[in-house]
PDB file of all heavy atoms in Angstrom:
ATOM      1  N   GLN A 350      26.305   4.026   1.856  1.00 98.00           N
ATOM      2  CA  GLN A 350      26.691   3.435   0.576  1.00 98.00           C
ATOM      3  C   GLN A 350      25.511   2.920  -0.208  1.00 98.00           C
ATOM      4  O   GLN A 350      25.533   2.954  -1.437  1.00 98.00           O
ATOM      5  CB  GLN A 350      27.696   2.305   0.812  1.00 98.00           C
ATOM      6  CG  GLN A 350      29.049   2.709   1.328  1.00 98.00           C
ATOM      7  CD  GLN A 350      29.799   3.620   0.369  1.00 98.00           C
ATOM      8  OE1 GLN A 350      29.562   3.579  -0.843  1.00 98.00           O
ATOM      9  NE2 GLN A 350      30.686   4.455   0.884  1.00 98.00           N
ATOM     10  N   CYS A 351      24.473   2.427   0.493  1.00 98.00           N
ATOM     11  CA  CYS A 351      23.245   2.019  -0.243  1.00 98.00           C
ATOM     12  C   CYS A 351      22.660   3.229  -0.970  1.00 98.00           C
ATOM     13  O   CYS A 351      22.187   3.092  -2.108  1.00 98.00           O
ATOM     14  CB  CYS A 351      22.228   1.429   0.775  1.00 98.00           C
ATOM     15  SG  CYS A 351      22.637  -0.182   1.416  1.00 98.00           S
ATOM     16  N   GLY A 352      22.655   4.343  -0.351  1.00 98.00           N
ATOM     17  CA  GLY A 352      22.173   5.595  -0.960  1.00 98.00           C
ATOM     18  C   GLY A 352      23.025   6.001  -2.178  1.00 98.00           C
ATOM     19  O   GLY A 352      22.468   6.397  -3.228  1.00 98.00           O
ATOM     20  N   ARG A 353      24.308   5.874  -2.029  1.00 98.00           N
ATOM     21  CA  ARG A 353      25.189   6.219  -3.147  1.00 98.00           C
ATOM     22  C   ARG A 353      24.916   5.291  -4.316  1.00 98.00           C
ATOM     23  O   ARG A 353      24.855   5.721  -5.487  1.00 98.00           O
ATOM     24  CB  ARG A 353      26.638   6.115  -2.707  1.00 98.00           C
ATOM     25  CG  ARG A 353      27.165   7.275  -1.844  1.00 98.00           C
ATOM     26  CD  ARG A 353      28.646   7.122  -1.555  1.00 98.00           C
ATOM     27  NE  ARG A 353      29.181   8.244  -0.810  1.00 98.00           N
ATOM     28  CZ  ARG A 353      29.609   9.382  -1.344  1.00 98.00           C
ATOM     29  NH1 ARG A 353      29.543   9.590  -2.664  1.00 98.00           N
ATOM     30  NH2 ARG A 353      30.081  10.341  -0.599  1.00 98.00           N
ATOM     31  N   GLN A 354      24.830   4.019  -4.028  1.00 98.00           N
ATOM     32  CA  GLN A 354      24.588   3.028  -5.131  1.00 98.00           C
ATOM     33  C   GLN A 354      23.222   3.243  -5.784  1.00 98.00           C
ATOM     34  O   GLN A 354      23.071   3.134  -6.966  1.00 98.00           O
ATOM     35  CB  GLN A 354      24.693   1.598  -4.528  1.00 98.00           C
ATOM     36  CG  GLN A 354      24.476   0.501  -5.577  1.00 98.00           C
ATOM     37  CD  GLN A 354      25.598   0.425  -6.603  1.00 98.00           C
ATOM     38  OE1 GLN A 354      26.692   0.952  -6.369  1.00 98.00           O
ATOM     39  NE2 GLN A 354      25.332  -0.125  -7.774  1.00 98.00           N
ATOM     40  N   LEU A 355      22.251   3.628  -4.982  1.00 98.00           N
ATOM     41  CA  LEU A 355      20.916   3.907  -5.523  1.00 98.00           C
ATOM     42  C   LEU A 355      20.967   5.096  -6.436  1.00 98.00           C
ATOM     43  O   LEU A 355      20.297   5.115  -7.473  1.00 98.00           O
ATOM     44  CB  LEU A 355      19.988   4.181  -4.333  1.00 98.00           C
ATOM     45  CG  LEU A 355      18.495   4.479  -4.658  1.00 98.00           C
ATOM     46  CD1 LEU A 355      17.900   3.265  -5.366  1.00 98.00           C
ATOM     47  CD2 LEU A 355      17.724   4.790  -3.343  1.00 98.00           C
ATOM     48  N   ALA A 356      21.769   6.105  -6.122  1.00 98.00           N
ATOM     49  CA  ALA A 356      21.938   7.291  -6.995  1.00 98.00           C
ATOM     50  C   ALA A 356      22.557   6.912  -8.310  1.00 98.00           C
ATOM     51  O   ALA A 356      22.205   7.444  -9.373  1.00 98.00           O
ATOM     52  CB  ALA A 356      22.696   8.365  -6.287  1.00 98.00           C
ATOM     53  N   ARG A 357      23.532   5.966  -8.250  1.00 98.00           N
ATOM     54  CA  ARG A 357      24.158   5.527  -9.508  1.00 98.00           C
ATOM     55  C   ARG A 357      23.213   4.726 -10.371  1.00 98.00           C
ATOM     56  O   ARG A 357      23.201   4.852 -11.609  1.00 98.00           O
ATOM     57  CB  ARG A 357      25.396   4.712  -9.166  1.00 98.00           C
ATOM     58  CG  ARG A 357      26.568   5.523  -8.580  1.00 98.00           C
ATOM     59  CD  ARG A 357      27.836   4.699  -8.502  1.00 98.00           C
ATOM     60  NE  ARG A 357      27.803   3.724  -7.382  1.00 98.00           N
ATOM     61  CZ  ARG A 357      28.308   3.968  -6.202  1.00 98.00           C
ATOM     62  NH1 ARG A 357      28.805   5.162  -5.898  1.00 98.00           N
ATOM     63  NH2 ARG A 357      28.245   3.059  -5.235  1.00 98.00           N
ATOM     64  N   GLU A 358      22.365   3.936  -9.742  1.00 98.00           N
ATOM     65  CA  GLU A 358      21.407   3.079 -10.474  1.00 98.00           C
ATOM     66  C   GLU A 358      20.225   3.853 -10.970  1.00 98.00           C
ATOM     67  O   GLU A 358      19.655   3.527 -12.035  1.00 98.00           O
ATOM     68  CB  GLU A 358      20.996   1.916  -9.604  1.00 98.00           C
ATOM     69  CG  GLU A 358      22.107   0.887  -9.313  1.00 98.00           C
ATOM     70  CD  GLU A 358      21.571  -0.328  -8.506  1.00 98.00           C
ATOM     71  OE1 GLU A 358      20.354  -0.414  -8.271  1.00 98.00           O
ATOM     72  OE2 GLU A 358      22.394  -1.176  -8.167  1.00 98.00           O
ATOM     73  N   SER A 359      19.732   4.809 -10.176  1.00 98.00           N
ATOM     74  CA  SER A 359      18.473   5.512 -10.496  1.00 98.00           C
ATOM     75  C   SER A 359      18.636   7.017 -10.311  1.00 98.00           C
ATOM     76  O   SER A 359      18.072   7.609  -9.356  1.00 98.00           O
ATOM     77  CB  SER A 359      17.314   4.978  -9.639  1.00 98.00           C
ATOM     78  OG  SER A 359      17.154   3.594  -9.802  1.00 98.00           O
ATOM     79  N   PRO A 360      19.419   7.667 -11.218  1.00 97.00           N
ATOM     80  CA  PRO A 360      19.660   9.119 -11.037  1.00 97.00           C
ATOM     81  C   PRO A 360      18.406   9.927 -11.423  1.00 97.00           C
ATOM     82  O   PRO A 360      17.490   9.420 -12.093  1.00 97.00           O
ATOM     83  CB  PRO A 360      20.812   9.388 -12.026  1.00 97.00           C
ATOM     84  CG  PRO A 360      20.651   8.317 -13.084  1.00 97.00           C
ATOM     85  CD  PRO A 360      20.112   7.079 -12.343  1.00 97.00           C
ATOM     86  N   LEU A 361      18.378  11.153 -10.977  1.00 96.00           N
ATOM     87  CA  LEU A 361      17.264  12.032 -11.230  1.00 96.00           C
ATOM     88  C   LEU A 361      17.726  13.475 -11.323  1.00 96.00           C
ATOM     89  O   LEU A 361      18.736  13.857 -10.721  1.00 96.00           O
ATOM     90  CB  LEU A 361      16.224  11.938 -10.082  1.00 96.00           C
ATOM     91  CG  LEU A 361      15.099  10.906 -10.170  1.00 96.00           C
ATOM     92  CD1 LEU A 361      14.337  10.916  -8.828  1.00 96.00           C
ATOM     93  CD2 LEU A 361      14.191  11.178 -11.344  1.00 96.00           C
ATOM     94  N   TYR A 380      22.647   9.326  -1.191  1.00 98.00           N
ATOM     95  CA  TYR A 380      22.069   9.666  -2.522  1.00 98.00           C
ATOM     96  C   TYR A 380      22.473  11.097  -2.863  1.00 98.00           C
ATOM     97  O   TYR A 380      22.856  11.422  -3.988  1.00 98.00           O
ATOM     98  CB  TYR A 380      20.596   9.500  -2.500  1.00 98.00           C
ATOM     99  CG  TYR A 380      19.931   9.548  -3.867  1.00 98.00           C
ATOM    100  CD1 TYR A 380      19.545   8.344  -4.481  1.00 98.00           C
ATOM    101  CD2 TYR A 380      19.692  10.733  -4.546  1.00 98.00           C
ATOM    102  CE1 TYR A 380      18.935   8.360  -5.756  1.00 98.00           C
ATOM    103  CE2 TYR A 380      19.131  10.738  -5.795  1.00 98.00           C
ATOM    104  CZ  TYR A 380      18.753   9.605  -6.401  1.00 98.00           C
ATOM    105  OH  TYR A 380      18.187   9.620  -7.657  1.00 98.00           O
ATOM    106  N   GLU A 383      26.239  11.456  -3.724  1.00 98.00           N
ATOM    107  CA  GLU A 383      26.614  10.838  -5.012  1.00 98.00           C
ATOM    108  C   GLU A 383      26.056  11.654  -6.190  1.00 98.00           C
ATOM    109  O   GLU A 383      26.662  11.773  -7.222  1.00 98.00           O
ATOM    110  CB  GLU A 383      26.120   9.391  -5.056  1.00 98.00           C
ATOM    111  CG  GLU A 383      26.534   8.611  -6.289  1.00 98.00           C
ATOM    112  CD  GLU A 383      28.046   8.368  -6.362  1.00 98.00           C
ATOM    113  OE1 GLU A 383      28.705   8.387  -5.312  1.00 98.00           O
ATOM    114  OE2 GLU A 383      28.523   8.201  -7.504  1.00 98.00           O
ATOM    115  N   ARG A 461      12.633   6.880  -3.962  1.00 98.00           N
ATOM    116  CA  ARG A 461      13.782   5.993  -4.157  1.00 98.00           C
ATOM    117  C   ARG A 461      13.915   5.095  -2.881  1.00 98.00           C
ATOM    118  O   ARG A 461      14.006   5.636  -1.766  1.00 98.00           O
ATOM    119  CB  ARG A 461      15.073   6.783  -4.379  1.00 98.00           C
ATOM    120  CG  ARG A 461      15.051   7.518  -5.761  1.00 98.00           C
ATOM    121  CD  ARG A 461      15.031   6.536  -6.938  1.00 98.00           C
ATOM    122  NE  ARG A 461      15.045   7.171  -8.219  1.00 98.00           N
ATOM    123  CZ  ARG A 461      13.952   7.413  -8.908  1.00 98.00           C
ATOM    124  NH1 ARG A 461      12.743   7.151  -8.414  1.00 98.00           N
ATOM    125  NH2 ARG A 461      14.029   7.982 -10.120  1.00 98.00           N
ATOM    126  N   ILE A 462      13.973   3.808  -3.094  1.00 98.00           N
ATOM    127  CA  ILE A 462      13.992   2.837  -1.992  1.00 98.00           C
ATOM    128  C   ILE A 462      15.403   2.197  -1.938  1.00 98.00           C
ATOM    129  O   ILE A 462      15.830   1.611  -2.947  1.00 98.00           O
ATOM    130  CB  ILE A 462      12.907   1.751  -2.140  1.00 98.00           C
ATOM    131  CG1 ILE A 462      11.496   2.424  -2.261  1.00 98.00           C
ATOM    132  CG2 ILE A 462      12.960   0.773  -0.971  1.00 98.00           C
ATOM    133  CD1 ILE A 462      11.140   3.251  -1.069  1.00 98.00           C
ATOM    134  N   ALA A 463      16.081   2.294  -0.802  1.00 98.00           N
ATOM    135  CA  ALA A 463      17.429   1.863  -0.633  1.00 98.00           C
ATOM    136  C   ALA A 463      17.574   0.366  -0.344  1.00 98.00           C
ATOM    137  O   ALA A 463      18.484  -0.068   0.385  1.00 98.00           O
ATOM    138  CB  ALA A 463      18.132   2.669   0.427  1.00 98.00           C
ATOM    139  N   SER A 464      16.664  -0.411  -0.913  1.00 97.00           N
ATOM    140  CA  SER A 464      16.743  -1.884  -0.830  1.00 97.00           C
ATOM    141  C   SER A 464      15.903  -2.414  -1.959  1.00 97.00           C
ATOM    142  O   SER A 464      15.070  -1.719  -2.474  1.00 97.00           O
ATOM    143  CB  SER A 464      16.240  -2.393   0.532  1.00 97.00           C
ATOM    144  OG  SER A 464      14.850  -2.067   0.701  1.00 97.00           O
ATOM    145  N   PRO A 465      16.105  -3.680  -2.325  1.00 97.00           N
ATOM    146  CA  PRO A 465      15.283  -4.299  -3.376  1.00 97.00           C
ATOM    147  C   PRO A 465      13.856  -4.549  -2.882  1.00 97.00           C
ATOM    148  O   PRO A 465      13.577  -4.537  -1.700  1.00 97.00           O
ATOM    149  CB  PRO A 465      16.031  -5.635  -3.664  1.00 97.00           C
ATOM    150  CG  PRO A 465      17.429  -5.419  -3.102  1.00 97.00           C
ATOM    151  CD  PRO A 465      17.218  -4.564  -1.890  1.00 97.00           C
ATOM    152  N   ALA A 503      11.760   3.852  -7.738  1.00 98.00           N
ATOM    153  CA  ALA A 503      12.814   2.885  -8.114  1.00 98.00           C
ATOM    154  C   ALA A 503      13.408   2.244  -6.846  1.00 98.00           C
ATOM    155  O   ALA A 503      13.487   2.890  -5.788  1.00 98.00           O
ATOM    156  CB  ALA A 503      13.910   3.568  -8.926  1.00 98.00           C
ATOM    157  N   TYR A 504      13.753   0.962  -7.002  1.00 98.00           N
ATOM    158  CA  TYR A 504      14.382   0.230  -5.911  1.00 98.00           C
ATOM    159  C   TYR A 504      15.874   0.075  -6.195  1.00 98.00           C
ATOM    160  O   TYR A 504      16.323   0.102  -7.346  1.00 98.00           O
ATOM    161  CB  TYR A 504      13.836  -1.179  -5.831  1.00 98.00           C
ATOM    162  CG  TYR A 504      12.374  -1.304  -5.455  1.00 98.00           C
ATOM    163  CD1 TYR A 504      11.379  -1.451  -6.430  1.00 98.00           C
ATOM    164  CD2 TYR A 504      11.974  -1.357  -4.087  1.00 98.00           C
ATOM    165  CE1 TYR A 504      10.073  -1.640  -6.084  1.00 98.00           C
ATOM    166  CE2 TYR A 504      10.647  -1.518  -3.747  1.00 98.00           C
ATOM    167  CZ  TYR A 504       9.698  -1.665  -4.744  1.00 98.00           C
ATOM    168  OH  TYR A 504       8.349  -1.819  -4.421  1.00 98.00           O
ATOM    169  N   LEU A 505      16.635  -0.182  -5.163  1.00 98.00           N
ATOM    170  CA  LEU A 505      18.000  -0.590  -5.283  1.00 98.00           C
ATOM    171  C   LEU A 505      18.015  -2.050  -5.723  1.00 98.00           C
ATOM    172  O   LEU A 505      17.184  -2.851  -5.254  1.00 98.00           O
ATOM    173  CB  LEU A 505      18.764  -0.449  -3.949  1.00 98.00           C
ATOM    174  CG  LEU A 505      20.270  -0.854  -3.865  1.00 98.00           C
ATOM    175  CD1 LEU A 505      21.090   0.050  -4.789  1.00 98.00           C
ATOM    176  CD2 LEU A 505      20.750  -0.730  -2.423  1.00 98.00           C
ATOM    177  N   SER A 506      18.930  -2.448  -6.608  1.00 98.00           N
ATOM    178  CA  SER A 506      18.974  -3.837  -7.042  1.00 98.00           C
ATOM    179  C   SER A 506      19.622  -4.757  -5.991  1.00 98.00           C
ATOM    180  O   SER A 506      20.319  -4.290  -5.084  1.00 98.00           O
ATOM    181  CB  SER A 506      19.789  -3.955  -8.318  1.00 98.00           C
ATOM    182  OG  SER A 506      21.171  -3.642  -8.058  1.00 98.00           O
ATOM    183  N   VAL A 507      19.355  -6.059  -6.072  1.00 97.00           N
ATOM    184  CA  VAL A 507      19.975  -6.995  -5.141  1.00 97.00           C
ATOM    185  C   VAL A 507      21.486  -6.918  -5.236  1.00 97.00           C
ATOM    186  O   VAL A 507      22.189  -6.861  -4.218  1.00 97.00           O
ATOM    187  CB  VAL A 507      19.473  -8.453  -5.411  1.00 97.00           C
ATOM    188  CG1 VAL A 507      20.179  -9.418  -4.506  1.00 97.00           C
ATOM    189  CG2 VAL A 507      17.953  -8.529  -5.189  1.00 97.00           C
ATOM    190  N   GLU A 508      21.949  -6.897  -6.471  1.00 97.00           N
ATOM    191  CA  GLU A 508      23.438  -6.823  -6.702  1.00 97.00           C
ATOM    192  C   GLU A 508      23.978  -5.529  -6.109  1.00 97.00           C
ATOM    193  O   GLU A 508      25.066  -5.508  -5.541  1.00 97.00           O
ATOM    194  CB  GLU A 508      23.751  -6.917  -8.178  1.00 97.00           C
ATOM    195  CG  GLU A 508      23.351  -8.261  -8.809  1.00 97.00           C
ATOM    196  CD  GLU A 508      21.876  -8.369  -9.119  1.00 97.00           C
ATOM    197  OE1 GLU A 508      21.176  -7.322  -9.097  1.00 97.00           O
ATOM    198  OE2 GLU A 508      21.396  -9.510  -9.370  1.00 97.00           O
ATOM    199  N   GLY A 509      23.228  -4.454  -6.273  1.00 98.00           N
ATOM    200  CA  GLY A 509      23.642  -3.148  -5.756  1.00 98.00           C
ATOM    201  C   GLY A 509      23.707  -3.115  -4.253  1.00 98.00           C
ATOM    202  O   GLY A 509      24.566  -2.532  -3.614  1.00 98.00           O
ATOM    203  N   LEU A 510      22.711  -3.807  -3.615  1.00 98.00           N
ATOM    204  CA  LEU A 510      22.667  -3.866  -2.141  1.00 98.00           C
ATOM    205  C   LEU A 510      23.868  -4.624  -1.635  1.00 98.00           C
ATOM    206  O   LEU A 510      24.558  -4.162  -0.671  1.00 98.00           O
ATOM    207  CB  LEU A 510      21.394  -4.539  -1.703  1.00 98.00           C
ATOM    208  CG  LEU A 510      21.257  -4.805  -0.181  1.00 98.00           C
ATOM    209  CD1 LEU A 510      21.357  -3.515   0.601  1.00 98.00           C
ATOM    210  CD2 LEU A 510      19.936  -5.509   0.134  1.00 98.00           C
ATOM    211  N   VAL A 511      24.174  -5.803  -2.207  1.00 96.00           N
ATOM    212  CA  VAL A 511      25.307  -6.584  -1.768  1.00 96.00           C
ATOM    213  C   VAL A 511      26.592  -5.801  -1.952  1.00 96.00           C
ATOM    214  O   VAL A 511      27.478  -5.784  -1.102  1.00 96.00           O
ATOM    215  CB  VAL A 511      25.378  -7.920  -2.467  1.00 96.00           C
ATOM    216  CG1 VAL A 511      26.667  -8.657  -2.166  1.00 96.00           C
ATOM    217  CG2 VAL A 511      24.139  -8.773  -2.185  1.00 96.00           C
ATOM    218  N   LYS A 512      26.729  -5.139  -3.102  1.00 96.00           N
ATOM    219  CA  LYS A 512      27.931  -4.305  -3.371  1.00 96.00           C
ATOM    220  C   LYS A 512      28.092  -3.193  -2.354  1.00 96.00           C
ATOM    221  O   LYS A 512      29.183  -2.905  -1.865  1.00 96.00           O
ATOM    222  CB  LYS A 512      27.828  -3.700  -4.787  1.00 96.00           C
ATOM    223  CG  LYS A 512      29.009  -2.866  -5.174  1.00 96.00           C
ATOM    224  CD  LYS A 512      28.852  -2.341  -6.595  1.00 96.00           C
ATOM    225  CE  LYS A 512      30.030  -1.431  -6.991  1.00 96.00           C
ATOM    226  NZ  LYS A 512      29.822  -0.919  -8.397  1.00 96.00           N
ATOM    227  N   ALA A 513      26.962  -2.542  -1.999  1.00 97.00           N
ATOM    228  CA  ALA A 513      27.004  -1.432  -1.057  1.00 97.00           C
ATOM    229  C   ALA A 513      27.454  -1.833   0.349  1.00 97.00           C
ATOM    230  O   ALA A 513      28.276  -1.186   0.965  1.00 97.00           O
ATOM    231  CB  ALA A 513      25.635  -0.731  -0.990  1.00 97.00           C
TER     232      ALA A 513
END
Side-chain angles (χ1 to χ4, degrees):
Q350 292 298 334
C351 288
R353 285 186 176 275
Q354 182 65 23
L355 183 60
R357 290 189 284 267
E358 292 183 3
S359 302
L361 270 174
Y380 193 102
E383 185 66 25
R461 292 295 180 265
I462 303 301
S464 63
Y504 296 96
L505 182 62
S506 67
V507 175
E508 297 77 16
L510 174 59
V511 173
K512 180 180 179 181

